[in-house]
Amino acid sequence: MMGRRGVLFVFEGCDRAGKTTQCRMLVDALCKRGIPAEYMNFPDRSTAIGKIINDYLLKKVELPDKAVHLLFSANRWELEPVIKNKLASGVSLIVDRYSYSGVAFSAAKKGMDLKWCWNPEIGLPEPDAVLLLNLTEEVSAKRGDFGLERYEATDFQRKVKSNFMDLKDSLWKIIDADKPVENLHVEILDIFNSVYESSAGKPITVL
Ligand code: DGP
Ligand code: NA
Ligand code: NA
């Protein structure tokens, strides 16, 4: 008898919202409870395409906006067979950014719109839930200076946040991320549990 499939549980948000910390804490907590779970993040800088993206983010290379958008999308498609196989084999994937970051960041640029940016994402596995870790601008500012990577600037992040709000649908849960790490973790674990229960027996769908 085959066991149940894993769930595709996606974290989104602006830079510095605490996504990576929460993803890692969730994976640890699930594994301790005997629920197979793995961390994934996009962009995955370790692949061939990911290396170009890494150079682009570090401002070592320049690329036209549309070309780099398609590379970010291709980076998700590179991992699509892995995502499908893991979910089918019962492993839940806790994903640090996905298509929504792809669209929200690229569409924050001049001459790029949400619809054009969404197109290459069509057909990727659809998340069972999307958690947007949300911070007010004042709180983000208090978390310290941005790093030196491309996109790490207040005005740009403001546009990204407004794009996230335009993308959100009924799958999304907006979470106030301005609270102690452990409290946020407990809140997220609770959401995971209900998504895990309600997705049992449901097939994997696509965007
Ligand atoms: P991170 O490794 O999570 O810090 O993400 C790297 C940066 O790349 C971050 O500023 C968000 C941005 N980003 C993530 N995915 C995409 C994408 O698909 N398209 C674009 N343009 N930017 C993205
Ligand atoms: Na970043
Ligand atoms: Na991250």
Side-chain angles (χ1 to χ4, degrees):
M1 172 70 191
M2 284 270 294
R4 59 157 299 162
R5 70 164 172 94
V7 305
L8 186 57
F9 199 76
V10 168
F11 284 76
E12 289 287 5
C14 289
D15 291 322
R16 311 193 65 98
K19 292 182 297 303
T20 305
T21 305
Q22 290 299 328
C23 284
R24 298 233 177 250
M25 287 173 83
L26 180 58
V27 170
D28 285 351
L30 296 177
C31 291
K32 280 200 192 102
R33 285 167 174 71
I35 298 174
E38 289 180 22
Y39 174 81
M40 276 189 111
N41 77 308
F42 290 107
D44 179 339
R45 305 186 194 214
S46 70
T47 69
I49 292 168
K51 289 193 170 71
I52 307 175
I53 293 172
N54 185 51
D55 285 348
Y56 173 79
L57 288 170
L58 295 174
K59 301 178 190 167
K60 289 185 187 163
V61 295
E62 293 300 322
L63 286 161
D65 293 334
K66 288 192 166 78
V68 83
H69 179 71
L70 295 175
L71 290 178
F72 274 105
S73 183
N75 185 235
R76 286 182 278 278
W77 280 104
E78 279 187 291
L79 275 305
E80 186 252 5
V82 176
I83 295 174
K84 285 201 333 208
N85 288 339
K86 297 255 185 206
L87 294 177
S89 71
V91 177
S92 289
L93 296 173
I94 310 306
V95 187
D96 195 346
R97 300 188 187 282
Y98 196 54
S99 302
Y100 313 96
S101 273
V103 175
F105 278 78
S106 287
K109 300 174 182 181
K110 277 202 189 72
M112 302 281 283
D113 64 70
L114 289 172
K115 189 161 173 277
W116 190 93
C117 292
W118 186 254
N119 265 311
E121 308 300 321
I122 294 172
L124 284 168
E126 183 173 38
D128 293 291
V130 179
L131 269 60
L132 181 73
L133 298 197
N134 198 34
L135 287 178
T136 62
E137 238 175 79
E138 296 72 54
V139 175
S140 325
K142 283 198 200 108
R143 293 206 172 180
D145 291 331
F146 283 121
L148 296 173
E149 286 205 337
R150 207 181 287 268
Y151 306 144
E152 297 193 294
T154 307
D155 281 359
F156 194 84
Q157 298 281 327
R158 192 178 292 141
K159 285 187 201 141
V160 170
K161 185 170 169 180
S162 122
N163 287 339
F164 276 132
M165 293 307 172
D166 289 341
L167 288 167
K168 76 168 194 281
D169 63 21
S170 59
L171 286 178
W172 287 52
K173 291 169 184 41
I174 315 275
I175 314 251
D176 174 11
D178 182 24
K179 50 176 75 92
V181 170
E182 190 56 41
N183 297 15
L184 187 54
H185 169 64
V186 169
E187 186 177 339
I188 289 169
L189 193 54
D190 225 51
I191 296 171
F192 181 91
N193 287 334
S194 68
V195 171
Y196 194 70
E197 272 174 37
S198 65
S199 63
K202 277 194 203 158
I204 298 160
T205 51
V206 295
L207 293 175

